[in-house]
């Protein structure tokens, strides 16, 4: 019972709990990325740890956050066009949290996170709308026939795994052939009418993301908004275990949410995502 | 009395930074053909990943070239990520320099999927014939 009261108390301050979860996620991410450019990261970590031990009580600067931000910026500097998109979002959320450590105004942090979420989701919608491969459904068609989407639900459909494996084999032999020969692979569909299903699914994705972005812009604290955001995150996780990005979106949702049950849902999603990132089962 | 400029920066600084990064992505995507998957433009899962772009060099194995030289691997990876004429030319010149060949025919193929025809094929996006006397 005491544990529940402890958790309930923690959930009463969503910024504190989401900062803690964000910290765990950033540390897991930085550990995974540690190997790249370690010669720059090592001194940063040493200085960070030393400063934290020596100065943590005498200075007001968030030493751990600043150290982690520096590590993220090192990766960004060397691999600007190679890092995943959520690396950029992670940097921005960390900057917002560091800034909050100085101004201590939760309304400003919430505004930062709300607008950041809206910008990210609206951009994602725009990118989909300007991609002919996406709006035609061809992208989803390929991904599903290759078994890259709904991977963990494939066994429900009879023979779908065998079909996607057969498609993969055909593509593999195409890859080794001379493209000047003009060879084409004809897919076997994992389900009937997959072309139509992919087309509908593509437009449903766009509609859902647009709805969530609009709701976040107009009613960032509404329960309905967070139900839709939670549903979107859960839906994407079922499609593909993009745990890094989805964990980050859920952390942002947790910062904005007011409802205790919704906070529980967010905390569950974030914890699962962090666990999957740390164990490298999910995508970091 | 709070400083209005400081208030503005505090409220809109981080989202504006996100918009600047996105603007850079769109600029690079438009001018350098940067993949939607990278560069902070949040366009992942909107088209096939850039690793499906295919580089073909007549008379040479691209896999062997990549294994033989990390710098060739880096140059070819850049072509896949930003498939434009400049990067293709740079990669071709670099390969000529390293392999000491007289000429090279380098092609860039992009994947093409059609759900209507249930097909997957490759389409020629660009190609270059280079001689070691050209540069």
């Amino acid at each position: 019972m005491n544990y529940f009261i402890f958790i309930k108390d923690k959930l009463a301050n969503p910024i504190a709990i989401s900062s803690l979860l964000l910290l765990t996620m950033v540390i897991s991410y930085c550990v995974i990325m540690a190997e790249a450019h370690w010669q720059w990261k090592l001194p940063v970590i040493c200085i960070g740890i030393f400063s934290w031990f020596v100065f943590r009580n005498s200075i007001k600067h968030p030493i751990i956050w600043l150290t982690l931000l520096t590590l993220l910026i090192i990766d960004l500097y060397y691999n600007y066009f190679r890092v995943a998109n959520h690396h950029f979002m992670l940097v921005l959320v960390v900057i917002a949290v560091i800034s909050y450590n100085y101004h201590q105004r939760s309304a400003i942090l919430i505004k930062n996170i709300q607008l950041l979420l809206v910008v990210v989701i609206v951009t994602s919608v725009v990118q989909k709308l300007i991609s002919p491969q996406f709006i035609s459904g061809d992208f989803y068609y390929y991904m599903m026939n290759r078994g890259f989407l709904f991977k963990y639900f494939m066994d429900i459909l009879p023979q779908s795994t065998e079909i996607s494996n057969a498609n993969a084999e055909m593509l593999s032999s195409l890859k080794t052939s001379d493209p000047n020969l003009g060879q084409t692979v004809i897919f076997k569909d994992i389900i009937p009418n997959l072309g139509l299903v992919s087309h509908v699914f593509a437009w449903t994705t766009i509609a859902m993301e647009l709805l969530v972005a609009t709701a976040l812009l107009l009613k960032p604290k509404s329960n309905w908004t967070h139900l839709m955001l939670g549903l979107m995150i859960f839906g994407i996780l079922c499609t593909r275990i993009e745990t890094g990005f989805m964990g980050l979106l859920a952390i942002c949702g947790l910062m904005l949410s007011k409802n205790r049950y919704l906070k529980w849902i967010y905390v569950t999603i974030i914890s699962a995502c962090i666990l999957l990132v740390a164990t490298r089962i999910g995508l970091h | 009395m709070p400083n209005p400029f400081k208030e503005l920066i505090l409220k809109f600084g981080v989202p504006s930074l996100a918009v600047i990064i996105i603007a850079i992505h769109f600029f690079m995507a438009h001018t350098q053909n940067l993949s939607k998957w990278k560069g902070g433009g949040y366009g992942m899962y909107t088209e096939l990943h850039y690793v499906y772009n295919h580089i073909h060099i007549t008379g040479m194995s691209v896999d062997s070239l990549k294994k033989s030289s990390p710098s060739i691997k880096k140059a070819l990876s850049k072509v896949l990520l930003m498939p434009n004429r400049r990067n293709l030319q740079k990669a071709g010149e670099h390969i000529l320099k390293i392999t000491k060949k007289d000429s090279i025919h380098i092609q860039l193929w992009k994947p093409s999927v059609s759900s209507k025809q249930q097909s997957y094929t490759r389409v020629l996006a660009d190609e270059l014939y280079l001689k070691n006397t050209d540069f």
Side-chain angles (χ1 to χ4, degrees):
Chain A
M1 194 63 195
N2 283 339
Y3 288 115
F4 280 108
I5 294 167
F6 173 77
I7 294 167
K8 204 175 144 187
D9 288 347
K10 283 279 174 199
L11 285 177
N13 184 356
I15 291 177
I17 188 116
S18 48
S19 299
L20 189 69
L21 290 165
L22 178 67
L23 187 69
T24 319
M25 176 161 265
V26 180
I27 290 171
S28 310
Y29 182 75
C30 285
V31 167
I32 291 170
M33 301 285 282
E35 208 181 324
H37 314 291
W38 62 270
Q39 64 275 35
W40 296 110
K41 290 177 185 173
L42 201 64
V44 170
I45 294 168
C46 290
I47 294 168
I49 292 173
F50 176 79
S51 309
W52 188 78
F53 273 111
V54 178
F55 304 117
R56 71 177 189 275
N57 294 324
S58 56
I59 58 172
K60 284 183 177 176
H61 301 296
I63 296 167
I64 294 177
W65 283 110
L66 289 170
T67 307
L68 291 168
L69 178 66
T70 313
L71 295 177
L72 291 173
I73 288 173
I74 289 172
D75 280 319
L76 208 57
Y77 177 75
Y78 283 103
N79 288 316
Y80 188 91
F81 293 114
R82 296 272 172 197
V83 292
N85 280 314
H86 62 272
H87 188 103
F88 291 89
M89 195 178 170
L90 203 55
V91 169
L92 294 167
V93 175
V94 169
I95 291 174
V97 171
I98 289 173
S99 150
Y100 172 72
N101 269 278
Y102 291 104
H103 59 66
Q104 291 292 321
R105 289 160 65 186
S106 52
I108 284 181
L109 176 63
I110 286 170
K111 190 53 124 185
N112 282 178
I113 298 299
Q114 178 209 355
L115 292 178
L116 187 59
L117 264 181
V118 172
V119 166
V120 167
I121 300 173
V122 166
T123 310
S124 167
V125 170
V126 171
Q127 290 274 29
K128 286 178 173 73
L129 286 171
I130 60 171
S131 167
Q133 204 175 66
F134 189 87
I135 54 171
S136 61
D138 292 345
F139 172 72
Y140 276 154
Y141 178 79
Y142 173 85
M143 295 292 275
M144 285 198 249
N145 264 335
R146 281 287 278 109
F148 291 149
L149 298 184
F150 302 109
K151 199 175 170 183
Y152 297 97
F153 300 95
M154 291 284 266
D155 291 337
I156 300 166
L157 303 168
Q159 292 185 321
S160 59
T161 309
E162 286 86 349
I163 295 171
S164 67
N165 287 343
N167 288 332
E169 268 177 42
M170 285 194 287
L171 286 167
S172 177
S173 61
L174 180 81
K175 200 185 167 191
T176 54
S177 70
D178 182 346
N180 292 290
L181 298 172
Q183 289 178 342
T184 299
V185 161
I186 302 295
F187 283 121
K188 288 177 192 168
D189 290 350
I190 55 161
I191 50 165
N193 300 317
L194 185 64
L196 179 67
V197 171
S198 308
H199 198 231
V200 171
F201 187 40
W203 282 100
T204 309
T205 308
I206 292 171
M208 184 70 191
E209 286 185 5
L210 196 61
L211 196 67
V212 171
T214 313
L216 279 167
L217 184 66
L218 302 175
K219 300 261 181 196
K221 288 173 186 173
S222 153
N223 289 346
W224 285 105
T225 302
H226 289 280
L227 269 176
M228 284 192 288
L229 178 63
L231 195 66
M232 187 186 91
I233 293 170
F234 184 71
I236 294 172
L237 284 172
C238 288
T239 314
R240 197 162 157 81
I241 45 171
E242 273 292 339
T243 42
F245 208 158
M246 293 308 113
L248 195 53
L249 288 186
I251 287 171
C252 294
L254 178 62
M255 283 190 192
L256 301 179
S257 171
K258 289 276 176 204
N259 184 294
R260 196 197 320 161
Y261 298 106
L262 288 167
K263 284 182 204 167
W264 267 105
I265 293 172
Y266 280 130
V267 170
T268 311
I269 292 175
I270 299 162
S271 307
C273 286
I274 291 172
L275 192 69
L276 290 169
V277 167
T279 52
R280 299 200 184 191
I281 295 170
L283 300 167
H284 64 274
Chain B
M1 182 78 184
N3 180 343
F5 180 70
K6 193 180 159 192
E7 287 291 300
L8 213 65
I9 292 290
L10 283 177
K11 268 188 189 169
F12 302 108
V14 171
S16 306
L17 205 55
V19 172
I20 291 168
I21 291 168
I22 291 161
I24 293 170
H25 166 88
F26 276 105
F27 175 77
M28 291 300 288
H30 186 67
T31 59
Q32 304 290 312
N33 212 8
L34 170 69
S35 165
K36 281 170 179 276
W37 284 77
K38 298 289 174 180
Y42 307 102
M44 55 284 182
Y45 298 103
T46 59
E47 64 175 19
L48 288 194
H49 197 278
Y50 63 89
V51 294
Y52 295 104
N53 291 341
H54 184 91
I55 297 165
H56 180 75
I57 303 171
T58 311
M60 287 189 218
S61 158
V62 172
D63 287 338
S64 305
L65 280 172
K66 280 182 189 169
K67 278 178 196 159
S68 68
S69 161
S71 61
I72 290 180
K73 189 180 175 186
K74 199 177 167 189
L76 291 175
S77 305
K78 200 171 178 189
V79 176
L80 297 180
L81 177 69
M82 282 186 234
N84 58 51
R85 173 56 68 102
R86 193 166 142 258
N87 287 338
L88 194 65
Q89 178 139 4
K90 273 170 98 175
E93 287 173 3
H94 189 67
I95 292 166
L96 273 182
K97 218 178 268 178
I98 300 271
T99 57
K100 295 186 171 58
K101 294 235 175 196
D102 295 331
S103 63
I104 190 174
H105 176 208
I106 183 166
Q107 294 178 318
L108 176 73
W109 295 78
K110 285 193 153 195
S112 169
V113 183
S114 169
S115 54
K116 282 185 183 136
Q117 291 162 357
Q118 296 180 263
S119 66
Y120 177 102
T121 189
R122 291 168 292 183
V123 179
L124 185 64
D126 201 0
E127 64 180 331
L128 270 176
Y129 293 90
L130 285 171
K131 285 181 184 168
N132 59 9
T133 50
D134 289 348
F135 52 94

